[in-house]
Amino acid sequence: MDLDRKDLAILAELTTNARASHTELANKVGLSSTALARRQKALEDDGYIQAYQAALDLAQFGLTTTVLVRIALESQSDEALKAFEAEVVKCPSVVRCFLMSGTDDYILIVLARDIQDFERIHRTELSRLPRVARVQSSFALREIVNRAVPTVVFGEAKR
Amino acid sequence: MDLDRKDLAILAELTTNARASHTELANKVGLSSTALARRQKALEDDGYIQAYQAALDLAQFGLTTTVLVRIALESQSDEALKAFEAEVVKCPSVVRCFLMSGTDDYILIVLARDIQDFERIHRTELSRLPRVARVQSSFALREIVNRAVPTVVFGEAKR
DNA sequence: TCTCCTTGGGCACACCGACGCGCATCTTGG
DNA sequence: CCAAGATGCGCGTCGGTGTGCCCAAGGAGA
């Protein structure tokens, strides 16, 4: 990983405007469009940029309620973990799922329309997960930070 | 919100290929480029599409460790919440922060290079947050699901 | 110190494709 | 039966993108 300030500036800008043209980016970064195209392609080929994706406003779809769900399994056997994970990926309302150290086995982040909708999700998605011993839900009252990329990434200039 | 299947197909595709051209999208959705351009612009103007952003591979930056941090404050006064939140947004390693119901006041998601790096973050970022009574950290051993958009969104066709 | 070589940058050009417009057609609802 | 909204086709223009070439800077070696 040897990225200079200009590479980071390109990444920072593309994190905001993924559809920016070479010329547009070149002006912001301080390069010619040729040099910028080379660097951008290198960033893609080297895997720093995984994809370009549209960010949807989930509130527009009525998904205003975020729920953190802690799940403990009946057993921590490899077979139980595999069975649980095979099913949890199918849950349409689950956006993240971590296998955790400590007492809780899994932590899920679930998006719902409201509390009543979460009751439905709990009934139709979560309670059907296999090998579950305990489910504990906490509602997010407000979201203070939501970043795709930690700001620390853009401050690690090498050259 | 009155989106038909084609609108959802457009959104689903843009969630993967934000840089797809009108022609390219039109073929996948089953529309002409003209009709697609109109619908895409409408989706942007109506706020369904918030932005187009590049997704970075954080593992390439060495950020392979995800930590869930539970934080309880000394008091739940409005002033304490405001003071805490004003500082937590400045933490460069924090990617998400929720104000929670229940016993824990806040839950943060922190990205670190490794466990030693998290110790540094704990010392230089987290322990400097104001009004904190208790900090409890859990490490994510593995990530099973990581979606930007719940799949349920793309299944709600109206027309 | 001089020279060679490599790496990255900029300029100019040409090609290809995207984009937006106008108009005719079709469907949907009243 | 009519009106309004949506679609598709064709076209022209504009802009982006990629290539080739030359230049500047820095490092290595004789």
Side-chain angles (χ1 to χ4, degrees):
Chain A
M1 185 180 107
D2 56 338
L3 301 177
D4 60 6
R5 292 185 183 82
K6 290 181 179 175
D7 287 316
L8 296 177
I10 295 169
L11 293 176
E13 187 60 30
L14 284 173
T15 302
T16 308
N17 304 327
R19 309 197 67 152
S21 69
H22 292 166
T23 319
E24 194 175 339
L25 285 173
N27 290 336
K28 299 212 179 190
V29 176
L31 282 175
S32 69
S33 65
T34 311
L36 183 123
R38 271 197 293 260
R39 293 176 91 118
Q40 183 175 347
K41 184 172 186 333
L43 291 171
E44 294 166 359
D45 293 344
D46 295 349
Y48 291 103
I49 297 174
Q50 269 186 331
Y52 298 97
Q53 52 193 26
L56 306 188
D57 183 4
L58 296 174
Q60 287 266 349
F61 295 89
L63 297 174
T64 55
T65 303
T66 304
V67 190
L68 263 81
V69 181
R70 298 182 181 85
I71 290 184
L73 298 192
E74 295 168 350
S75 93
Q76 280 81 13
S77 70
D78 189 57
E79 183 270 340
L81 299 184
K82 277 196 168 57
F84 176 83
E85 293 176 11
E87 289 303 313
V88 77
V89 299
K90 300 178 189 169
C91 291
S93 299
V94 173
V95 290
R96 304 201 77 172
C97 172
F98 296 104
L99 172 64
M100 299 300 296
S101 68
T103 56
D104 297 314
D105 291 332
Y106 288 98
I107 288 193
L108 319 188
I109 297 184
V110 173
L111 292 184
R113 304 184 152 284
D114 48 42
I115 299 186
Q116 285 75 30
D117 187 45
F118 179 72
E119 191 275 331
R120 179 190 60 79
I121 294 169
H122 190 286
R123 184 164 32 84
T124 62
E125 299 183 22
L126 303 183
S127 71
R128 295 182 181 175
L129 293 170
R131 314 301 177 100
V132 171
R134 184 174 51 84
V135 177
Q136 190 180 347
S137 306
S138 308
F139 288 85
L141 305 177
R142 192 151 40 87
E143 191 171 75
I144 290 92
V145 178
N146 187 358
R147 284 194 264 262
V149 179
T151 60
V152 66
V153 168
F154 300 125
E156 304 174 333
K158 283 295 174 57
R159 274 175 275 165
Chain B
M1 184 181 109
D2 56 338
L3 301 177
D4 61 5
R5 292 184 183 81
K6 291 180 178 174
D7 286 316
L8 296 177
I10 295 169
L11 293 175
E13 187 60 30
L14 283 173
T15 302
T16 308
N17 304 328
R19 309 197 66 152
S21 68
H22 292 166
T23 319
E24 194 175 339
L25 285 172
N27 290 336
K28 299 212 179 188
V29 175
L31 281 175
S32 70
S33 64
T34 311
L36 184 123
R38 270 196 292 262
R39 294 175 90 118
Q40 182 174 348
K41 184 172 186 335
L43 290 170
E44 293 167 358
D45 293 344
D46 295 349
Y48 292 103
I49 298 174
Q50 270 187 331
Y52 298 98
Q53 53 193 27
L56 306 187
D57 184 4
L58 296 174
Q60 288 266 347
F61 295 89
L63 298 173
T64 55
T65 303
T66 304
V67 190
L68 263 82
V69 181
R70 299 183 181 85
I71 290 184
L73 297 193
E74 296 167 350
S75 92
Q76 282 79 13
S77 70
D78 189 58
E79 184 272 339
L81 300 183
K82 278 196 166 59
F84 176 83
E85 293 176 10
E87 289 302 313
V88 78
V89 299
K90 300 178 190 170
C91 291
S93 299
V94 173
V95 290
R96 304 201 78 172
C97 172
F98 295 103
L99 173 64
M100 299 301 295
S101 68
T103 56
D104 297 315
D105 290 332
Y106 288 97
I107 288 193
L108 321 187
I109 297 184
V110 173
L111 291 183
R113 305 184 151 283
D114 48 42
I115 299 186
Q116 285 74 31
D117 187 44
F118 179 73
E119 190 276 331
R120 179 191 58 80
I121 293 168
H122 190 287
R123 183 164 32 82
T124 62
E125 299 183 21
L126 303 183
S127 71
R128 295 181 181 177
L129 292 170
R131 313 301 176 101
V132 171
R134 184 174 51 85
V135 176
Q136 189 180 347
S137 305
S138 307
F139 288 84
L141 305 177
R142 191 152 40 88
E143 191 171 75
I144 291 91
V145 178
N146 188 357
R147 284 195 265 264
V149 179
T151 60
V152 66
V153 168
F154 300 125
E156 306 175 333
K158 283 295 173 60
R159 272 176 277 167

